[in-house]
Amino acid sequence: MIGSQITFAEDEKSDGGRTEKRPLIISTWPFGKPGNEVALKTVEAGKSTLDAVEAGIRHVEASGNQTVGLSGKPNAAGFAQLDACIMHGPGHKAGSVAAIEGIKHPISVARRVMEKTPHVMLAGDGARWFALQEGFESIDISERPKKVKAWKKEQKQRRSEAPAGSAENHDTITMLVLGPDGTLSGGCSTSGLADKLPGRVGDSPILGGGLYVDNKVGAAGATGIGENVMRYCATFMIVEFMRQGLSPTDACKKIIERIKSYEPENKNLAINFIAIDKQGRFGAAGTDKFPHSVTYPGFSEVLTADAV
Ligand code: ASP
């Protein structure tokens, strides 16, 4: 914890927070907090919000956390396939990789796709090929068969405890940064749902699904069961709700209410959102209580959004 108290304006107590301090960083889950702090230092050292997002997410990818990066939970065939994307407000730039294997920092590959290719998204073998060409740190994926054997052994029990696609089987780092000059950047990185089918792509690398940044308005990110996010272009909608005047918290709540209205009442959607606007307001909402990390100069805390 960096200290100090969060500043809620009187009329904003039920509506997230607001700060004049910059940079402002918000990310998913308590494991985002050390990443936020790396992002904060990055901007304070004079680097860009894009550098901050990349550095913060790299920190989480390398942390050995079981849900992000190469240490993330394997797919149904026993190996990790990773998804990541990055967006930079100025110029409305974006890059993304999906179902990439054996690469340590997918977030940096997503940034390289954005900066060095005419494309937005690379997937599967092509994404790995590009990462290797560009010299990114990798592991030997010919080891795969050994891992598959071990994974299959436990598969039956694992599936009875937490079936594929269930609420227990996910996690993602999604991070949004508002810089001192009002610049917005965001990124996400994940191993996706544990036990997913090989080749399954979640919401995290999909622009408007797991992440959306509009430098004129704000940014939003997601974590949870990707199928319940991407079918509704959820983060794109959150940014549009903010454009219409909703606060970040209300925009996150509104998309959850919208999605719920289309889905069976008893379905566990397991979806969570964070958002930040150009004015420095920030908020979150989830279908369950949703811990998320908020950091700005003098403040770094895990806050919990109420369930919608
Ligand atoms: N959204 C990710 C996916 O569906 C998982 C997560 O955030 O927990 O791949």
Side-chain angles (χ1 to χ4, degrees), residues 4-308:
S4 117
Q5 270 305 301
I6 190 163
T7 51
F8 289 114
E10 225 11 71
D11 59 350
E12 284 178 331
K13 279 191 177 138
S14 61
D15 189 23
R18 177 187 197 127
T19 177
E20 302 301 324
K21 296 197 179 149
R22 305 286 183 273
L24 165 63
I25 301 132
I26 180 165
S27 66
T28 51
W29 308 114
F31 63 69
K33 190 160 106 58
N36 283 8
E37 290 161 10
V38 168
L40 176 66
K41 282 194 195 131
T42 306
V43 183
E44 285 179 337
K47 298 208 170 149
S48 69
T49 50
L50 187 65
D51 292 331
V53 164
E54 183 184 8
I57 291 183
R58 279 176 71 96
H59 182 81
V60 181
E61 284 175 339
S63 65
N65 156 320
Q66 292 210 319
T67 55
V68 174
L70 286 176
S71 60
K73 294 192 184 113
N75 63 19
F79 50 91
Q81 286 188 321
L82 310 177
D83 292 338
C85 81
I86 200 160
M87 272 192 96
H88 188 47
H92 208 66
K93 296 187 189 132
S96 161
V97 288
I100 190 170
E101 282 176 49
I103 299 295
K104 192 164 174 200
H105 289 297
I107 191 68
S108 297
V109 187
R111 180 172 179 176
R112 194 65 61 86
V113 172
M114 175 177 97
E115 290 180 335
K116 288 252 176 99
T117 80
H119 309 305
V120 169
M121 185 175 207
L122 296 178
D125 288 347
R128 178 173 163 88
W129 176 85
F130 172 75
L132 296 178
Q133 298 298 308
E134 290 291 312
F136 284 101
E137 211 176 324
S138 62
I139 57 164
D140 178 6
I141 57 174
S142 61
E143 284 284 296
R144 224 200 222 174
K146 260 200 255 156
K147 289 192 187 157
V148 172
K149 223 168 148 194
W151 179 247
K152 289 241 158 163
K153 241 171 137 182
E154 309 156 21
Q155 198 165 51
K156 219 166 146 197
Q157 167 156 15
R158 244 193 10 258
R159 282 192 174 163
S160 63
E161 283 165 6
S166 68
E168 297 75 37
N169 264 341
H170 66 87
D171 267 343
T172 293
I173 176 71
T174 303
M175 184 180 288
L176 312 173
V177 179
L178 174 66
D181 62 352
T183 296
L184 285 156
S185 301
C188 22
S189 182
T190 189
S191 55
L193 290 181
D195 237 7
K196 64 189 178 184
L197 286 175
R200 177 265 191 188
V201 173
D203 59 315
S204 306
I206 307 293
L207 308 174
L211 177 73
Y212 197 68
V213 177
D214 183 322
N215 212 46
K216 292 186 181 160
V217 179
T223 176
I225 297 178
E227 284 72 7
N228 297 335
V229 173
M230 63 208 282
R231 285 181 293 130
Y232 294 95
C233 300
T235 56
F236 173 79
M237 289 305 301
I238 291 170
V239 171
E240 289 309 301
F241 291 147
M242 292 194 289
R243 192 193 306 277
Q244 290 162 13
L246 259 56
S247 71
T249 304
D250 285 347
C252 291
K253 285 182 177 163
K254 186 163 172 165
I255 194 62
I256 293 178
E257 279 155 10
R258 164 86 55 89
I259 294 171
K260 276 184 152 179
S261 75
Y262 281 78
E263 298 282 339
E265 223 168 87
N266 56 0
K267 184 168 168 184
N268 185 358
L269 292 168
I271 49 176
N272 308 278
F273 300 101
I274 52 174
I276 194 169
D277 72 10
K278 201 75 181 159
Q279 291 75 48
R281 292 187 296 177
F282 55 87
T287 44
D288 295 304
K289 278 183 180 287
F290 173 40
H292 54 284
S293 300
V294 176
T295 300
Y296 51 82
F299 181 89
S300 190
E301 297 278 353
V302 174
L303 307 178
T304 303
D306 289 337
V308 175

